[in-house]
Amino acid sequence: MSTPSTEILIIDDEIQMRRLLRITLESAGYKVTLAENAAEGIRNAETHRFDAVILDLGLPDLDGIEVLKKIRTWAQYPIIILSVRSAEQDIVSALDAGANDYLTKPFRSGELVARLRTSLRVFHSKTSSTPIVEIKGIFVDTDNHIVKKNGEPVKLTPTEFALLVLFIRNAGKVLTHNYILQQVWGPKFEGESQYTRVYVAQLRKKLEDDPNNPVFFLTEAGIGYRFIDAA
Amino acid sequence: MSFVYFFMSIEEQNRPDPDTLLQLLKKEEEKEKRGKLKIFFGMCAGVGKTYDMLRDAHAEISKGIDVIIGYIETHKRIETEALLTDLPVIPRKTIEYKGTILEEMDLDAIISRKPQLVLVDELAHTNVPGSRHTKRYQDVLELLDNGIDVFTTLNVQHLESRAETVAQITGNIIRETVPDSIFEAANEVEVIDISPNELLKRLSDGKVYTPERSQRAVQNFFRAGNLSALREMSLRLTAERVDQQLREYKQTKRISETWKSGTRLVVGINASLQSLSVIRWARRVSYTMDASWVAVYVETSKKATLADTEQLSKNFKLARELGAEIVTTSDEDIAGALLRVAREQNATQILIGKPKPKAFFHTSRLVKNLLRKSRDIDVYVVGHEEEKENQQQLFFQHIPNIQSGLPQYLLATMIILGVSIACIPLARLIEYKTISYIILFAVSLLPLRMGRGPVLLGATCGALAWDFLFITPIYTFSIGRIEDVLMLLVFFIVATVSGTLSARVRERERAVRQREMRSSALFALTKDLSSAHSQDEVIQATSANIKKFFNADVVVFLGDADGDMSHQAHTASSWKPDEKEFSVAAWTYWNEKKAGKFTDTLPFAQATYYSMSGPRYPVGVIGVRVRQNEKLGIDQEILLENFIAQIASAVERELLNEVTKKSIVVAESEKLYKTLFNSISHELRTPIAAILGSSEGLLFADRNQEKKMHDDLLGEIHTAAERLNRLVENLLDMTRLESGQLAPKMDWCDVRDIINTSLKKLEKELSRHIVQVHIDENNPLVLLDFVLLEQVFTNILHNASLYTPAGSTIDIQAHVQEDELFILISDNGRGFPPEVLKTLFEKFYRVPGTQTGGTGLGLSIAKGFVEAHKGTIQASNNPHGGACFTIRIPIEAQQSLTLQ
């Protein structure tokens, strides 16, 4: 996916971090622009169209969440948060504010590049989503409500199916409990995380080879779930 | 040094009583801190006290002392006024009282100016109502308490113990008096003595008063005879003082030829006016005998009138002012009680007032009993001058008694007469002798509702009615047969005795009940206080108990950390005092004395304020506002003071508890700091050293050096960084736990999911172990903090991966049983050495001899997180070898997995 034309904006106030990110991302084939504070970052984002932004939350002049919200007013491209803040409520609020993914420092560069790649792919595939998906032995026809595992048809309830479709559409992206509840059950179900727990457990039972060691439906502790389409 | 010498060099038998010495030393010490008091003492006005005081003040000024005038009355004497020039004066305060503007010494201005020495004339002066203290000497005491030296003037007739004698000599009743204790407390007394003739000459020269006032004065007060007597009195008093000082000197300096065993005097007082002179007498005797003295009040079941209570509190006040210790005891047997107290107090003498002739029968029995039972104790019976005024008062005091009893007397008469008349028709049916039993029965019922007097009257009436109505010849009082006379006599005696006896039993019973009520009140308070576990609870118990037993509102001010009084009333207070009340409470706090309503200090207040004093500093103030707005009776007052003493010690106990707790916390955190410092410095430095060393190796390495070394160095850096990262994570978790702000975020969780997540995290570390998970498929969802619990599993499993050999089996079991989540994590490794099981969960604890790399925080964090769920975690060894962790977490609610 990384072509030399893919431009990433990095907003981080630590010089060492900026240097490390530049090396990591450039060696992965991206074009990198650096900003050392919120003002500079927002100015850059306003004047140039990037493909993705990597954003630190602890900026000296403005909280990263505010920067995120500001950029989100005009841009839909992936924004990945890279922060030392590791408390779940920080992560959840960043995701709810429109971040596509969240990594806590210290992070592994391989992980960052992988997440960035996934986010970019999800962003581009959304615009051209296909009704039929096939991942590692799982076949899903979203239009005709058909699900097969290793060629065998799998019976899913309408809710399970809706949940599965939501995961497939956001493959690779962290979905918070509240986001899932809102999309599948409706806004009244906010906070009722027992529904997501039960239904994800059922999906695992029906679709995973080993439900105790899931490879598709991963739990993000304290945050939500991430569906991995190891394509 | 001198103190040590003093003990070592003296022969054993000459050794003074250490307690007495200690008291003397304490006295000395107290005197040092307080201001010094010098009294210019004279036999009467006009001897030149003020003049001498001013002259001495000038001498002090020339020594460089900061002297100011607090209050001086020159009486327009020219010589005196001349000395006033160039002395700084604190302007007097003006106070409006009933429309007139009056001037008083400005106490606060002096205290805030804080001179070294202040001159205050006329110590015995009574302040205008509305001033802080009723009497000027109280102002002076406050100045002394504030460390300011005071010069003052005083005449002999104003001394409490002499006032009565002076009144007898001169015929003038002295109203302005000061307690003798202040005279004794003076550091210096200078007698201003001139001969009566010289004084009379000064008077006639107009040096003391204006001519026409002099004339009157000479005729009334300043008669040569009076003056000689006053002069003698003042000189003798000073001589006594010198004698006393000499004795004290002897005691401290160990000149002990005339060492006396501590004489102690007990003086019995009651609610009569006569007690005042008995108290004064006792004080004089005790002073010349160098004896301490105890004033004893024996409370009987006899009901005290309001006048009695007031007189009694006056008597107590005088006794207290004259230096007596007050003891109250309840007993029907006054003599027995006095002797009991005397023995308890180790007293050798008992002093009582001569009984009133009026109550001859009763009180002479007191004297008789005292004499009979006193054995080795001397008994003095002191006479007193009966003034006309007193007799009048006594008369009026007794009338209300009769008046209040009058309905009872009437009722008693009517009942007995009614019963007798009702028996008339019976007389035809039964014998007249039997009727006497009926009347007797009625008489014996009277004490149930009535006092002794009405019962006696009823008995008499019964006897008379029986005689009149039933004994032949009927309807006359005359009795025909000698047999009937005897019958009547027996009837009368039986009626009287049984009536009085049961009345007395009833009175006694009431006294006992009252006493019981008091002790049960105290008991209730003590119980509440001892079960209170914080200062707040103590105050709540206090407030509730005082409210209950005294029908009073309570306000409590506590001392704060800086030793000031808190400006906020405690929340358990039952009323909100205003600023004015607060200032009274503050005065009590700082002076550690009772103030406010019904006292001599700041009596305008709504409540009476009592100081709660601990040994080191006052712990607070309790304000008590009695609801019916009436002064508490003497027994209630004593009970209240007992209450407050209990409360003060409870408050202090809690205060000390908190101090102790704090110091424990400090010690703990010091220990933690040290461990942290040692452990962290090691744990941080090792990986940093690895990173620095390896990266340097890379930076300066030859480009063409072999690739393997490159990779090794990079690997080192990576390992060290991961170790650092783990340490930081642990420290952050620890900080969250330590800060006490760790509130688990409860959410519905599938325990299997938690364990799986944590196993996934440790995939690499556990790659060489066999992990078996046994979880029931149908385990319900439970409310837990997913992240915290995952950390618990990760820490335990990470330990297992580190400390069990490769190939070991790790077994995880989890199930929800009733209201508990039960998790068992065990391995088949080496297990724990048994001695470490207790300390395993302590911070920075590492099992000795284990490989490096851990921080000693993992298990203590696990424990903290489990405890945040109100659960428990235990470590043990498997019977078949290997370590085992048991986690139990209470579960409040659960939800089954089958939802639709």
Side-chain angles (χ1 to χ4, degrees):
Chain A
M1 285 296 286
S2 59
T3 55
S5 59
T6 309
E7 289 185 44
I8 312 290
L9 172 64
I10 292 167
I11 310 175
D12 199 309
D13 60 325
E14 288 285 347
I15 175 84
Q16 256 192 317
M17 267 300 135
R18 289 202 301 275
R19 250 191 247 143
L20 176 67
L21 286 170
R22 177 196 282 278
I23 295 168
T24 311
L25 293 182
E26 280 184 351
S27 66
Y30 296 99
K31 209 177 151 207
V32 175
T33 307
L34 298 175
E36 62 171 74
N37 54 45
E40 193 186 334
I42 292 168
R43 202 168 49 241
N44 272 323
E46 276 170 343
T47 50
H48 189 85
R49 197 198 176 283
F50 290 95
D51 292 285
V53 175
I54 292 176
L55 174 65
D56 182 16
L57 289 185
L59 295 171
D61 49 347
L62 187 65
D63 194 276
I65 295 277
E66 297 307 314
V67 179
L68 170 68
K69 286 179 182 163
K70 210 156 218 169
I71 298 177
R72 266 287 169 261
T73 54
W74 71 83
Q76 290 310 308
Y77 49 69
I79 300 177
I80 295 173
I81 304 295
L82 191 59
S83 171
V84 287
R85 293 187 202 165
S86 58
E88 303 87 60
Q89 53 267 44
D90 289 326
I91 300 175
V92 170
S93 60
L95 292 173
D96 285 344
N100 293 61
D101 213 334
Y102 193 109
L103 265 99
T104 49
K105 293 174 189 170
F107 59 96
R108 287 161 209 278
S109 28
E111 179 88 17
L112 174 68
V113 173
R115 297 275 185 96
L116 177 63
R117 197 175 288 151
T118 309
S119 292
L120 284 167
R121 185 173 51 80
V122 171
F123 176 64
H124 290 299
S125 69
K126 221 185 223 168
T127 44
S128 59
S129 68
T130 47
I132 294 175
V133 186
E134 195 162 5
I135 318 146
K136 269 210 210 156
I138 297 179
F139 169 88
V140 184
D141 179 346
T142 49
D143 282 359
N144 299 308
H145 282 224
I146 296 170
V147 181
K148 284 181 188 168
K149 180 173 158 64
N150 300 330
E152 293 289 310
V154 178
K155 265 191 108 173
L156 291 186
T157 66
T159 314
E160 285 167 2
F161 188 78
L163 184 62
L164 177 63
V165 172
L166 182 73
F167 275 130
I168 290 172
R169 295 246 161 90
N170 294 284
K173 189 179 166 185
V174 191
L175 302 180
T176 65
H177 286 289
N178 274 346
Y179 179 78
I180 298 171
L181 286 165
Q182 214 167 42
Q183 294 296 313
V184 178
W185 281 270
K188 277 188 188 163
F189 285 77
E190 198 167 300
E192 308 279 332
S193 64
Q194 67 272 33
Y195 287 92
T196 54
R197 303 255 183 228
V198 170
Y199 280 90
V200 169
Q202 277 167 357
L203 281 181
R204 279 178 183 155
K205 226 189 276 178
K206 289 178 179 176
L207 297 173
E208 296 272 8
D209 287 338
D210 176 6
N212 282 331
N213 191 12
V215 292
F216 299 119
F217 307 96
L218 301 189
T219 303
E220 291 284 330
I223 298 160
Y225 295 98
R226 185 199 298 273
F227 180 74
I228 298 289
D229 58 339
Chain B
M1 270 319 279
S2 60
F3 192 73
V4 174
Y5 166 73
F6 160 86
F7 268 114
M8 307 297 286
S9 63
I10 305 302
E11 287 163 26
E12 198 55 19
Q13 69 265 37
N14 280 347
R15 206 151 64 94
D17 174 16
D19 284 342
T20 322
L21 258 175
L22 205 65
Q23 264 176 8
L24 280 170
L25 285 172
K26 251 193 206 156
K27 234 182 184 174
E28 285 289 308
E29 222 171 83
E30 239 168 57
K31 276 186 188 163
E32 283 303 309
K33 265 185 287 169
R34 300 183 76 214
K36 288 196 172 62
L37 177 66
K38 180 172 181 179
I39 297 179
F40 293 81
F41 188 64
M43 57 176 171
C44 63
V47 292
K49 297 179 302 290
T50 309
Y51 179 83
D52 270 33
M53 177 169 78
L54 286 169
R55 229 179 34 198
D56 271 27
H58 277 281
E60 293 292 323
I61 289 176
S62 63
K63 279 190 235 161
I65 303 286
D66 177 20
V67 182
I68 59 154
I69 290 177
Y71 192 98
I72 289 282
E73 199 61 72
T74 60
H75 297 290
K76 303 260 182 298
R77 290 164 202 163
I78 304 141
E79 292 154 338
T80 314
E81 280 189 337
L83 282 173
L84 266 180
T85 47
D86 63 75
L87 273 175
V89 181
I90 295 283
R92 295 179 191 179
K93 198 161 79 175
T94 54
I95 295 175
E96 200 186 314
Y97 180 65
K98 291 187 177 163
T100 32
I101 304 282
L102 295 161
E103 286 185 336
E104 283 298 348
M105 179 168 79
D106 193 343
L107 185 57
D108 289 319
I110 298 170
I111 290 172
S112 63
R113 160 82 169 66
K114 209 167 184 6
Q116 282 167 289
L117 172 65
V118 59
L119 310 188
V120 182
D121 215 355
E122 292 179 2
L123 186 62
H125 171 79
T126 302
N127 289 335
V128 178
S131 311
R132 182 184 305 166
H133 300 292
T134 326
K135 299 280 194 170
R136 179 169 294 159
Y137 78 82
Q138 292 170 311
D139 293 345
V140 166
L141 285 176
E142 196 172 333
L143 288 171
L144 294 172
D145 284 344
N146 279 285
I148 300 170
D149 294 346
V150 178
F151 280 4
T152 189
T153 63
L154 181 69
N155 290 330
V156 66
Q157 76 258 33
H158 294 304
L159 269 181
E160 187 71 65
S161 64
R162 308 291 141 151
E164 199 182 7
T165 325
V166 174
Q168 282 163 14
I169 295 168
T170 63
N172 288 21
I173 290 170
I174 314 293
R175 306 219 178 267
E176 302 197 321
T177 55
V178 297
D180 289 40
S181 56
I182 191 169
F183 184 73
E184 279 159 48
N187 301 69
E188 208 180 321
V189 174
E190 190 174 318
V191 189
I192 317 301
D193 182 42
I194 57 174
S195 71
N197 287 335
E198 202 178 331
L199 178 62
L200 287 173
K201 188 168 172 295
R202 286 184 60 181
L203 266 171
S204 62
D205 288 351
K207 282 183 179 168
V208 179
Y209 294 130
T210 50
E212 83 272 18
R213 257 195 92 185
S214 291
Q215 195 69 31
R216 242 182 313 133
V218 171
Q219 275 166 13
N220 288 327
F221 192 85
F222 290 89
R223 279 177 302 199
N226 281 357
L227 290 179
S228 305
L230 287 173
R231 185 183 187 200
E232 193 192 323
M233 197 186 294
S234 65
L235 288 176
R236 208 162 63 191
L237 199 72
T238 331
E240 268 175 20
R241 197 186 125 85
V242 170
D243 198 37
Q244 177 87 2
Q245 276 173 340
L246 193 69
R247 254 198 300 257
E248 277 184 19
Y249 174 82
K250 275 183 177 173
Q251 280 180 23
T252 32
K253 304 291 167 187
R254 295 289 306 102
I255 306 164
S256 69
E257 316 73 271
T258 50
W259 196 260
K260 262 195 268 178
S261 72
T263 327
R264 236 165 136 75
L265 196 71
V266 159
V267 52
I269 60 173
N270 58 13
S272 73
L273 207 66
Q274 284 73 29
S275 279
L276 287 176
S277 37
V278 178
I279 289 165
R280 290 202 185 91
W281 179 262
R283 141 95 195 129
R284 281 198 291 270
V285 173
S286 74
Y287 195 81
T288 39
M289 276 171 47
D290 185 30
S292 58
W293 59 299
V294 185
V296 182
Y297 170 62
V298 183
E299 194 186 6
T300 61
S301 55
K302 200 181 139 209
K303 210 177 158 210
T305 62
L306 192 70
D308 283 346
T309 317
E310 257 170 35
Q311 184 58 50
L312 190 60
S313 70
K314 267 185 210 158
N315 295 352
F316 275 165
K317 194 169 157 250
L318 178 70
R320 214 173 277 136
E321 276 171 1
L322 296 182
E325 188 185 322
I326 311 280
V327 171
T328 349
T329 175
S330 342
D331 207 316
E332 291 303 311
D333 177 10
I334 299 176
L338 282 176
L339 285 164
R340 178 166 44 82
V341 175
R343 299 228 152 83
E344 276 166 15
Q345 298 280 341
N346 216 6
T348 48
Q349 340 234 342
I350 294 179
L351 224 103
I352 55 165
K354 199 181 252 172
K356 283 178 284 179
K358 209 170 180 180
F360 185 76
F361 174 71
H362 182 71
T363 29
S364 70
R365 204 177 53 200
L366 166 66
V367 176
K368 240 190 279 172
N369 282 346
L370 260 183
L371 291 174
R372 197 157 44 83
K373 298 185 200 158
S374 57
R375 293 205 302 265
D376 55 329
I377 296 175
D378 302 341
V379 178
Y380 293 82
V381 182
V382 183
H384 41 75
E385 311 283 322
E386 285 214 39
E387 293 161 37
K388 276 196 182 130
E389 199 188 355
N390 291 359
Q391 274 181 334
Q392 248 174 5
Q393 271 187 359
L394 279 174
F395 181 63
F396 282 121
Q397 263 175 5
H398 278 154
I399 284 175
N401 262 345
I402 296 166
Q403 272 176 344
S404 68
L406 204 58
Q408 286 205 338
Y409 283 96
L410 274 176
L411 192 66
T413 317
M414 273 157 64
I415 288 172
I416 297 304
L417 289 182
V419 169
S420 307
I421 290 166
C423 285
I424 294 177
L426 285 175
R428 281 184 223 138
L429 304 172
I430 51 175
E431 222 190 324
Y432 71 95
K433 281 173 193 160
T434 322
I435 287 172
S436 75
Y437 292 117
I438 298 175
I439 301 175
L440 203 58
F441 177 66
V443 171
S444 68
L445 285 181
L446 290 180
L448 290 182
R449 288 261 156 246
M450 287 163 200
R452 214 178 299 180
V455 171
L456 277 173
L457 183 64
T460 316
C461 281
L464 290 177
W466 186 50
D467 175 12
F468 189 73
L469 294 173
F470 302 104
I471 297 179
T472 43
I474 48 172
Y475 303 125
T476 60
F477 285 110
S478 61
I479 299 164
R481 293 187 298 171
I482 187 81
E483 191 189 332
D484 288 341
V485 175
L486 260 170
M487 280 279 299
L488 182 68
L489 205 68
V490 170
F491 174 91
F492 181 72
I493 291 169
V494 170
T496 317
V497 169
S498 74
T500 35
L501 277 183
S502 44
R504 196 181 292 172
V505 165
R506 203 170 59 92
E507 278 166 12
R508 225 171 251 199
E509 185 195 294
R510 212 191 51 211
V512 167
R513 215 178 303 134
Q514 256 177 7
R515 231 181 352 242
E516 235 162 50
M517 215 182 69
R518 256 180 287 165
S519 45
S520 69
L522 253 180
F523 177 70
L525 176 78
T526 327
K527 211 179 77 189
D528 283 1
L529 287 180
S530 60
S531 61
H533 291 303
S534 70
Q535 221 179 36
D536 284 351
E537 281 176 37
V538 166
I539 306 295
Q540 269 155 23
T542 299
S543 182
N545 276 286
I546 292 182
K547 230 156 70 182
K548 191 163 116 203
F549 289 112
F550 299 95
N551 189 27
D553 289 320
V554 182
V555 62
V556 179
F557 293 98
L558 290 178
D560 62 18
D562 306 327
D564 287 340
M565 193 181 84
S566 150
H567 201 272
Q568 287 295 318
H570 192 273
T571 44
S573 305
S574 53
W575 65 293
K576 288 262 165 292
D578 57 13
E579 199 55 34
K580 212 156 131 192
E581 295 293 308
F582 172 78
S583 65
V584 181
W587 190 90
T588 299
Y589 183 78
W590 288 115
N591 293 275
E592 294 185 52
K593 282 176 198 139
K594 190 162 89 173
K597 195 159 197 166
F598 308 125
T599 70
D600 289 339
T601 307
L602 302 162
F604 60 80
Q606 290 177 43
T608 317
Y609 292 87
Y610 299 83
S611 166
M612 296 191 284
S613 305
R616 280 173 308 164
Y617 44 78
V619 293
V621 172
I622 295 187
V624 177
R625 188 175 67 175
V626 185
R627 289 206 184 123
Q628 63 266 44
N629 209 15
E630 235 173 64
K631 191 169 169 29
L632 290 175
I634 200 76
D635 51 339
Q636 275 193 305
E637 180 77 27
I638 289 167
L639 179 63
L640 180 60
E641 275 171 17
N642 280 339
F643 259 50
I644 285 163
Q646 293 281 343
I647 292 158
S649 71
V651 169
E652 209 195 352
R653 177 194 76 204
E654 287 309 319
L655 213 66
L656 289 176
N657 260 353
E658 267 158 43
V659 171
T660 322
K661 260 188 227 154
K662 262 183 210 156
S663 61
I664 288 174
V665 169
V666 168
E668 282 280 298
S669 65
E670 262 170 24
K671 202 176 109 198
L672 180 64
Y673 170 79
K674 262 185 206 154
T675 335
L676 190 80
F677 188 80
N678 292 338
S679 166
I680 297 298
S681 61
H682 173 260
E683 290 303 319
L684 278 173
R685 280 185 173 145
T686 315
I688 289 173
I691 292 171
L692 279 177
S694 310
S695 55
E696 234 165 80
L698 283 175
L699 279 173
F700 300 109
D702 189 344
R703 291 266 168 224
N704 302 321
Q705 243 175 349
E706 57 178 307
K707 188 173 179 300
K708 184 173 180 309
M709 188 197 145
H710 241 215
D711 290 351
D712 285 351
L713 287 176
L714 284 171
E716 282 307 314
I717 292 176
H718 195 249
T719 313
E722 283 199 324
R723 185 171 163 184
L724 263 182
N725 189 32
R726 207 165 48 235
L727 175 67
V728 170
E729 294 286 326
N730 275 340
L731 282 176
L732 287 176
D733 283 341
M734 206 68 230
T735 317
R736 274 172 80 194
L737 272 175
E738 295 279 295
S739 70
Q741 282 166 356
L742 185 77
K745 224 179 104 220
M746 295 303 206
D747 198 359
W748 292 106
C749 296
D750 182 353
V751 179
R752 204 167 26 164
D753 201 7
I754 303 178
I755 291 172
N756 289 339
T757 310
S758 130
L759 284 174
K760 195 159 194 104
K761 220 184 197 176
L762 295 170
E763 224 167 6
K764 207 174 87 196
E765 286 86 347
L766 289 169
S767 56
R768 292 159 71 198
H769 288 76
I770 303 155
V771 181
Q772 295 175 344
V773 183
H774 304 278
I775 303 174
D776 184 3
E777 279 277 303
N778 298 315
N779 249 346
L781 292 181
V782 287
L783 277 176
L784 293 170
D785 185 316
F786 194 109
V787 179
L788 292 189
L789 221 56
E790 188 224 294
Q791 193 65 47
V792 171
F793 295 139
T794 308
N795 287 3
I796 293 175
L797 292 171
H798 188 242
N799 268 15
S801 79
L802 281 177
Y803 304 122
T804 55
S808 304
T809 306
I810 297 170
D811 185 86
I812 305 169
Q813 290 178 38
H815 57 271
V816 176
Q817 45 186 32
E818 286 173 22
D819 50 357
E820 188 179 65
L821 170 63
F822 181 87
I823 299 155
L824 201 73
I825 302 174
S826 55
D827 60 51
N828 59 354
R830 287 180 297 265
F832 303 108
E835 68 273 12
V836 308
L837 284 172
K838 269 187 191 162
T839 40
L840 208 56
F841 292 103
E842 277 179 18
K843 265 171 284 189
F844 301 110
Y845 180 79
R846 303 204 56 220
V847 175
T850 47
Q851 66 185 85
T852 58
T855 53
L857 282 173
L859 286 184
S860 92
I861 289 168
K863 181 168 187 260
F865 285 180
V866 169
E867 281 171 356
H869 283 86
K870 299 189 173 64
T872 58
I873 180 167
Q874 276 175 326
S876 57
N877 282 320
N878 273 329
H880 317 294
C884 177
F885 286 92
T886 316
I887 299 169
R888 290 161 185 272
I889 294 173
I891 298 296
E892 276 167 22
Q894 41 181 276
Q895 202 153 60
S896 112
L897 269 173
T898 45
L899 277 174
Q900 270 311 322

